[in-house]
Amino acid sequence: MAFRDYFQEDMYYRQNSAEMKDLQLRKLRERLKIYSESSPLVNMLIENTGIKPEEVTMEQYNAAVPVITQRDAGGSSSGSDIVGNRAALSGVDEQDFVLLCSTSGTTGEPSPYFLTEEDLQVTAHGLARAMWMISGESEEELRSFRAVQAFALSMVGAGMPMVETLIRLGIPVIPVGAEGGTERIVYFTQKLRGNLLFSTPSLAEHMAEVEPQKVKDLGFKRIVCGAEPGAGVIEVKKKMEADYGCPVVDAMGLLWGMAWVSCDHPEYGGMHFLADDFHIIQLVDPETQENIPFEDGAVGQLVLVPLVGSLPPMRATPGDSVQVFTQPCKCGVPGWRMKVVGRTDDMLKVKGVVVFPAAIDGVIAAFVPQVTGEFRITLDAPPPKVEPPLKLKVEYGENVKEERLQELAGEIAEEMHNRLKVRPQITWVKPMSLERSTYKTRFIEKNYE
Ligand SMILES: [Zn+2]
C-alpha cells in the first residue's frame, strides 16, 4: 500500500523528544552548510550574520537570524523572473520545480510557491502522519476512506497539491472542489460514496445551513477542516459535529510536511504537530521579534525554520498568532499541540485589549440557534486600533421574535465582556442577509475604504 511507503511510524511516536531536538540541530547545521554552498543569496545572508554553519547553536542562530514573512522567504511575486529568482534562492535548477502554485491572495497580493519532487515527497510524509491520526491509528479505517476534496481546487496548497498527495498515499479522492458549490459537493459525495470531507469550516457550516438533512444523511466518517481557525473554536466544532453527526478534525499545514492535526480525544487540546523532524517551530513577540519560551500555554507569533526540501533554512512567519501546549495530550500520542488564536494581521486592539475575530466567532457560535452564527465586525478605521465600542453586525436566528432582540444583544455583549473583556455594540440583521463565502470567511467589513 502506498501509505506505508510514506508513513514513518518511528518518527510519528518520537515528536517533541530530546532526541528530536538533537536531530533538529544536526539537520539545521547540515542545511546551513549545503545552502551556503548552493545558494549565493543564502550564503550572503549567512555570512552577514557571522554564524558558522558547522557549529552554530540554536541560541546563536536565533540571535543572528531575523524573522521574515513567509512571502519574502518564498521570493517576491513582483520580480521580473520569479521562477529564476526562486530557483537561485533554493539552489536548484528551475526545471526542478515540478508544481508551480500560489496562494489565493485573499489577504493581499498572491505569493507564488514552487514544489520540487522532494517537496512533494515530504508533503506526502507529513500527510501520511496526519491521516494516521485522523484514522484513529487504524489501518483498516484508513483503507476505508474515500476523500471528498472540497477546498478550492486550484493553485493553493489545499487544492492541487492536496489531491496529488492523497493519490500518492493511495487514498481515493473525489476532486469536486469548493468551486462546485454545495449542490455538486452533496451530489458527488452521495453518487460516488465519499466519506471523508476536506473543506474550510465556513464551507462545511454553509452546507449544513443550506442542506441540513442532506448533509447529515451523507454519513461522513470525519470532517477535516483547514485554511481558517473555525474548527479549533470549541463552540463552532461542536455545532458542526452535531450538524454532520461525526467528529470534526482541525488541521493546518500540509506542504513541506507541515502536519498539524487534532486528535479524537473529547477534550480538544489543540492540533498535534507531527513534523518536528521537518521544521523547527518557534514563537516570537510580533512587535519586538524576541523569542518567547516554548512552554505550555505560551502565546506568540508562529515562526518556522524549514529543515527539508527547497525552502532555505531561514526563520519565516506565516503571520499566525498561536498558543502552544507542551504537556502530554490525554490521547497518549507524544508531541506538542497548537491552537491558532488568529492572524496577526487580523488582530484588533480595543482600548488596549487584544481581540481576534476567531474569538468573537466562538462567543457568537455559543448563541446558535438564537443567532445563525454569521456576523461581521465593522471597522471605521484601519486596524488594529479600534475606537470603542467594537461594532458587530449579527444575524438573528430564524425563529427569534423581534421583541427578544434587545435582550439577546445584551446577553451576547455581557458574555463577550466576560470572556474577551470587550463589550460590543450589536446591530441586528435578518437571517441569511450577510454574504456567505465558499472559501474563507471574511469577518471584517471595512467602512473606511
Ligand atoms: Zn491528542
Side-chain angles (χ1 to χ4, degrees), residues 211-248:
E211 298 283 5
Q213 196 50 48
K214 272 192 189 161
V215 301
K216 204 164 222 168
D217 294 344
L218 290 174
F220 282 115
K221 284 166 173 260
R222 294 273 192 293
I223 313 292
V224 184
C225 285
E228 50 181 32
V233 178
I234 207 73
E235 293 82 1
V236 176
K237 178 176 151 85
K238 279 195 178 140
K239 180 178 178 292
M240 280 166 57
E241 289 182 338
D243 288 342
Y244 282 86
C246 71
V248 167

CSV table of all heavy atoms in Angstrom, one decimal, residues 211-248:
chain,number,residue,atom,x,y,z
A,211,GLU,N,-28.4,22.7,3.4
A,211,GLU,CA,-29.0,21.3,3.3
A,211,GLU,C,-28.8,20.5,4.5
A,211,GLU,O,-28.1,19.5,4.6
A,211,GLU,CB,-28.2,20.6,2.1
A,211,GLU,CG,-28.4,21.3,0.8
A,211,GLU,CD,-29.7,21.0,0.1
A,211,GLU,OE1,-30.6,20.3,0.8
A,211,GLU,OE2,-29.9,21.4,-1.1
A,212,PRO,N,-29.5,21.0,5.6
A,212,PRO,CA,-29.3,20.3,6.9
A,212,PRO,C,-29.5,18.8,6.9
A,212,PRO,O,-28.7,18.0,7.4
A,212,PRO,CB,-30.2,21.0,7.9
A,212,PRO,CG,-31.1,21.8,7.0
A,212,PRO,CD,-30.5,22.0,5.7
A,213,GLN,N,-30.6,18.4,6.3
A,213,GLN,CA,-30.9,16.9,6.4
A,213,GLN,C,-30.0,16.1,5.4
A,213,GLN,O,-29.4,15.1,5.8
A,213,GLN,CB,-32.4,16.7,6.0
A,213,GLN,CG,-32.8,15.3,6.4
A,213,GLN,CD,-32.5,14.9,7.9
A,213,GLN,OE1,-32.8,15.7,8.8
A,213,GLN,NE2,-31.9,13.7,8.1
A,214,LYS,N,-29.8,16.7,4.2
A,214,LYS,CA,-28.9,16.0,3.3
A,214,LYS,C,-27.5,15.8,3.8
A,214,LYS,O,-26.9,14.7,3.6
A,214,LYS,CB,-28.8,16.8,1.9
A,214,LYS,CG,-30.0,16.5,1.0
A,214,LYS,CD,-29.7,17.1,-0.4
A,214,LYS,CE,-30.9,16.9,-1.3
A,214,LYS,NZ,-30.9,17.8,-2.4
A,215,VAL,N,-26.9,16.8,4.4
A,215,VAL,CA,-25.5,16.6,4.8
A,215,VAL,C,-25.4,15.6,6.0
A,215,VAL,O,-24.5,14.8,6.0
A,215,VAL,CB,-24.8,17.9,5.3
A,215,VAL,CG1,-24.7,18.9,4.1
A,215,VAL,CG2,-25.4,18.5,6.5
A,216,LYS,N,-26.4,15.5,6.8
A,216,LYS,CA,-26.4,14.5,7.8
A,216,LYS,C,-26.5,13.1,7.2
A,216,LYS,O,-25.9,12.2,7.7
A,216,LYS,CB,-27.6,14.8,8.8
A,216,LYS,CG,-27.3,14.2,10.2
A,216,LYS,CD,-28.3,14.8,11.2
A,216,LYS,CE,-27.5,15.1,12.5
A,216,LYS,NZ,-28.3,15.9,13.4
A,217,ASP,N,-27.4,13.0,6.2
A,217,ASP,CA,-27.6,11.7,5.5
A,217,ASP,C,-26.4,11.2,4.7
A,217,ASP,O,-26.3,10.0,4.4
A,217,ASP,CB,-28.8,11.7,4.6
A,217,ASP,CG,-30.1,11.9,5.4
A,217,ASP,OD1,-30.1,11.7,6.6
A,217,ASP,OD2,-31.1,12.3,4.8
A,218,LEU,N,-25.4,12.1,4.5
A,218,LEU,CA,-24.3,11.7,3.7
A,218,LEU,C,-23.4,10.7,4.4
A,218,LEU,O,-22.6,9.9,3.8
A,218,LEU,CB,-23.4,12.9,3.3
A,218,LEU,CG,-24.1,13.9,2.3
A,218,LEU,CD1,-23.2,15.1,2.1
A,218,LEU,CD2,-24.3,13.1,0.9
A,219,GLY,N,-23.5,10.7,5.7
A,219,GLY,CA,-22.8,9.7,6.6
A,219,GLY,C,-21.3,9.8,6.5
A,219,GLY,O,-20.6,8.8,6.5
A,220,PHE,N,-20.8,11.1,6.6
A,220,PHE,CA,-19.3,11.3,6.6
A,220,PHE,C,-18.8,10.6,7.9
A,220,PHE,O,-19.4,10.6,8.9
A,220,PHE,CB,-19.0,12.7,6.7
A,220,PHE,CG,-19.1,13.4,5.3
A,220,PHE,CD1,-20.0,14.4,5.1
A,220,PHE,CD2,-18.2,13.1,4.3
A,220,PHE,CE1,-20.0,15.1,3.8
A,220,PHE,CE2,-18.2,13.7,3.1
A,220,PHE,CZ,-19.2,14.7,2.8
A,221,LYS,N,-17.5,10.0,7.8
A,221,LYS,CA,-16.9,9.5,8.9
A,221,LYS,C,-16.1,10.6,9.7
A,221,LYS,O,-16.0,10.5,10.9
A,221,LYS,CB,-15.8,8.4,8.5
A,221,LYS,CG,-16.4,7.1,8.0
A,221,LYS,CD,-15.3,6.3,7.3
A,221,LYS,CE,-15.8,4.9,7.0
A,221,LYS,NZ,-15.3,3.9,7.9
A,222,ARG,N,-15.6,11.5,9.0
A,222,ARG,CA,-14.9,12.7,9.5
A,222,ARG,C,-15.1,13.9,8.6
A,222,ARG,O,-15.1,13.7,7.4
A,222,ARG,CB,-13.4,12.4,9.6
A,222,ARG,CG,-12.9,11.3,10.5
A,222,ARG,CD,-12.7,11.8,11.9
A,222,ARG,NE,-12.0,10.8,12.7
A,222,ARG,CZ,-12.5,9.6,13.1
A,222,ARG,NH1,-13.7,9.3,12.7
A,222,ARG,NH2,-11.8,8.8,13.8
A,223,ILE,N,-15.0,15.1,9.3
A,223,ILE,CA,-14.9,16.3,8.5
A,223,ILE,C,-13.5,16.9,8.9
A,223,ILE,O,-13.2,17.1,10.1
A,223,ILE,CB,-15.9,17.4,8.9
A,223,ILE,CG1,-17.4,16.8,9.0
A,223,ILE,CG2,-15.9,18.6,8.0
A,223,ILE,CD1,-18.0,16.3,7.7
A,224,VAL,N,-12.6,17.1,7.9
A,224,VAL,CA,-11.3,17.6,8.2
A,224,VAL,C,-11.3,19.1,7.7
A,224,VAL,O,-11.5,19.3,6.5
A,224,VAL,CB,-10.2,16.8,7.5
A,224,VAL,CG1,-8.8,17.4,7.8
A,224,VAL,CG2,-10.3,15.3,7.8
A,225,CYS,N,-11.2,20.0,8.7
A,225,CYS,CA,-11.3,21.4,8.3
A,225,CYS,C,-9.9,22.0,8.4
A,225,CYS,O,-9.1,21.7,9.3
A,225,CYS,CB,-12.2,22.1,9.3
A,225,CYS,SG,-13.9,21.8,9.0
A,226,GLY,N,-9.7,23.0,7.5
A,226,GLY,CA,-8.4,23.7,7.5
A,226,GLY,C,-8.5,25.0,6.8
A,226,GLY,O,-9.7,25.4,6.4
A,227,ALA,N,-7.4,25.7,6.6
A,227,ALA,CA,-7.3,27.0,6.0
A,227,ALA,C,-7.9,28.2,6.7
A,227,ALA,O,-7.7,29.3,6.3
A,227,ALA,CB,-7.9,27.0,4.6
A,228,GLU,N,-8.6,28.0,7.8
A,228,GLU,CA,-9.0,29.0,8.7
A,228,GLU,C,-9.3,28.4,10.1
A,228,GLU,O,-9.5,27.2,10.2
A,228,GLU,CB,-10.2,29.8,8.2
A,228,GLU,CG,-11.3,28.8,7.7
A,228,GLU,CD,-12.5,29.5,7.1
A,228,GLU,OE1,-12.4,30.6,6.5
A,228,GLU,OE2,-13.6,29.0,7.3
A,229,PRO,N,-9.3,29.2,11.2
A,229,PRO,CA,-9.4,28.7,12.5
A,229,PRO,C,-10.7,28.0,13.0
A,229,PRO,O,-10.6,27.2,13.9
A,229,PRO,CB,-9.1,29.8,13.4
A,229,PRO,CG,-8.7,31.0,12.6
A,229,PRO,CD,-9.1,30.7,11.2
A,230,GLY,N,-11.8,28.2,12.4
A,230,GLY,CA,-13.1,27.8,12.8
A,230,GLY,C,-13.2,26.5,13.6
A,230,GLY,O,-13.7,26.4,14.8
A,231,ALA,N,-12.6,25.4,13.1
A,231,ALA,CA,-12.8,24.1,13.8
A,231,ALA,C,-12.0,24.0,15.1
A,231,ALA,O,-12.2,23.0,15.9
A,231,ALA,CB,-12.4,22.9,12.8
A,232,GLY,N,-11.1,24.9,15.4
A,232,GLY,CA,-10.4,24.9,16.6
A,232,GLY,C,-11.2,25.7,17.7
A,232,GLY,O,-10.8,25.8,18.8
A,233,VAL,N,-12.3,26.4,17.3
A,233,VAL,CA,-13.1,27.1,18.2
A,233,VAL,C,-14.2,26.1,18.7
A,233,VAL,O,-15.0,25.6,17.9
A,233,VAL,CB,-13.8,28.3,17.5
A,233,VAL,CG1,-14.7,29.1,18.5
A,233,VAL,CG2,-12.8,29.3,16.9
A,234,ILE,N,-14.1,25.8,20.0
A,234,ILE,CA,-14.8,24.7,20.5
A,234,ILE,C,-16.3,24.7,20.2
A,234,ILE,O,-16.9,23.7,19.8
A,234,ILE,CB,-14.5,24.5,22.0
A,234,ILE,CG1,-14.7,23.0,22.4
A,234,ILE,CG2,-15.2,25.4,22.9
A,234,ILE,CD1,-13.6,22.1,21.8
A,235,GLU,N,-17.0,25.9,20.3
A,235,GLU,CA,-18.4,26.0,20.0
A,235,GLU,C,-18.7,25.7,18.6
A,235,GLU,O,-19.7,25.1,18.2
A,235,GLU,CB,-18.9,27.4,20.4
A,235,GLU,CG,-18.9,27.8,21.9
A,235,GLU,CD,-17.5,28.2,22.3
A,235,GLU,OE1,-16.6,28.3,21.5
A,235,GLU,OE2,-17.3,28.5,23.5
A,236,VAL,N,-17.8,26.2,17.7
A,236,VAL,CA,-18.0,26.0,16.2
A,236,VAL,C,-17.9,24.5,15.9
A,236,VAL,O,-18.7,23.9,15.2
A,236,VAL,CB,-17.0,26.9,15.4
A,236,VAL,CG1,-17.2,26.6,13.9
A,236,VAL,CG2,-17.2,28.3,15.7
A,237,LYS,N,-16.8,23.9,16.5
A,237,LYS,CA,-16.6,22.5,16.3
A,237,LYS,C,-17.8,21.6,16.8
A,237,LYS,O,-18.2,20.8,16.1
A,237,LYS,CB,-15.3,22.1,17.1
A,237,LYS,CG,-14.9,20.6,17.1
A,237,LYS,CD,-13.6,20.5,17.8
A,237,LYS,CE,-13.4,19.1,18.4
A,237,LYS,NZ,-12.9,18.1,17.5
A,238,LYS,N,-18.3,22.0,18.0
A,238,LYS,CA,-19.4,21.2,18.5
A,238,LYS,C,-20.7,21.3,17.6
A,238,LYS,O,-21.4,20.4,17.4
A,238,LYS,CB,-19.8,21.7,19.9
A,238,LYS,CG,-18.9,21.1,20.9
A,238,LYS,CD,-19.4,21.3,22.3
A,238,LYS,CE,-18.5,20.6,23.3
A,238,LYS,NZ,-18.3,21.4,24.6
A,239,LYS,N,-20.9,22.5,17.1
A,239,LYS,CA,-22.1,22.8,16.3
A,239,LYS,C,-21.9,22.0,15.0
A,239,LYS,O,-22.9,21.3,14.5
A,239,LYS,CB,-22.2,24.3,15.9
A,239,LYS,CG,-23.4,24.6,15.0
A,239,LYS,CD,-23.5,26.1,14.8
A,239,LYS,CE,-24.6,26.4,13.8
A,239,LYS,NZ,-24.4,25.9,12.5
A,240,MET,N,-20.7,21.9,14.4
A,240,MET,CA,-20.5,21.2,13.2
A,240,MET,C,-20.7,19.7,13.4
A,240,MET,O,-21.2,19.0,12.6
A,240,MET,CB,-19.1,21.5,12.6
A,240,MET,CG,-19.1,22.8,11.8
A,240,MET,SD,-17.5,23.4,11.5
A,240,MET,CE,-16.9,22.0,10.6
A,241,GLU,N,-20.2,19.2,14.6
A,241,GLU,CA,-20.3,17.8,14.9
A,241,GLU,C,-21.8,17.4,15.0
A,241,GLU,O,-22.2,16.3,14.5
A,241,GLU,CB,-19.5,17.4,16.1
A,241,GLU,CG,-18.0,17.5,15.8
A,241,GLU,CD,-17.1,17.2,17.0
A,241,GLU,OE1,-17.5,17.2,18.1
A,241,GLU,OE2,-15.9,16.8,16.7
A,242,ALA,N,-22.6,18.3,15.5
A,242,ALA,CA,-24.0,18.0,15.7
A,242,ALA,C,-24.7,18.0,14.3
A,242,ALA,O,-25.5,17.2,13.9
A,242,ALA,CB,-24.7,19.0,16.6
A,243,ASP,N,-24.2,19.0,13.4
A,243,ASP,CA,-24.8,19.1,12.1
A,243,ASP,C,-24.5,17.9,11.2
A,243,ASP,O,-25.3,17.5,10.4
A,243,ASP,CB,-24.3,20.4,11.4
A,243,ASP,CG,-24.8,21.7,12.0
A,243,ASP,OD1,-25.8,21.6,12.7
A,243,ASP,OD2,-24.2,22.7,11.7
A,244,TYR,N,-23.3,17.4,11.3
A,244,TYR,CA,-22.9,16.3,10.4
A,244,TYR,C,-23.0,14.9,11.1
A,244,TYR,O,-22.8,13.9,10.4
A,244,TYR,CB,-21.4,16.5,9.9
A,244,TYR,CG,-21.4,17.6,8.8
A,244,TYR,CD1,-21.3,18.9,9.1
A,244,TYR,CD2,-21.4,17.2,7.5
A,244,TYR,CE1,-21.2,19.9,8.1
A,244,TYR,CE2,-21.3,18.1,6.5
A,244,TYR,CZ,-21.2,19.4,6.8
A,244,TYR,OH,-21.2,20.4,5.8
A,245,GLY,N,-23.1,14.9,12.4
A,245,GLY,CA,-23.2,13.6,13.1
A,245,GLY,C,-21.9,12.8,13.0
A,245,GLY,O,-21.9,11.6,13.0
A,246,CYS,N,-20.7,13.5,13.0
A,246,CYS,CA,-19.4,12.8,13.0
A,246,CYS,C,-18.4,13.7,13.6
A,246,CYS,O,-18.6,14.9,13.7
A,246,CYS,CB,-19.0,12.4,11.6
A,246,CYS,SG,-18.6,13.8,10.5
A,247,PRO,N,-17.2,13.2,14.0
A,247,PRO,CA,-16.2,14.1,14.5
A,247,PRO,C,-15.6,15.1,13.5
A,247,PRO,O,-15.6,14.8,12.3
A,247,PRO,CB,-15.0,13.1,14.9
A,247,PRO,CG,-15.7,11.7,14.9
A,247,PRO,CD,-16.8,11.8,14.0
A,248,VAL,N,-15.3,16.2,14.0
A,248,VAL,CA,-14.7,17.3,13.2
A,248,VAL,C,-13.2,17.4,13.6
A,248,VAL,O,-12.9,17.5,14.8
A,248,VAL,CB,-15.4,18.6,13.3
A,248,VAL,CG1,-14.6,19.8,12.7
A,248,VAL,CG2,-16.8,18.5,12.7
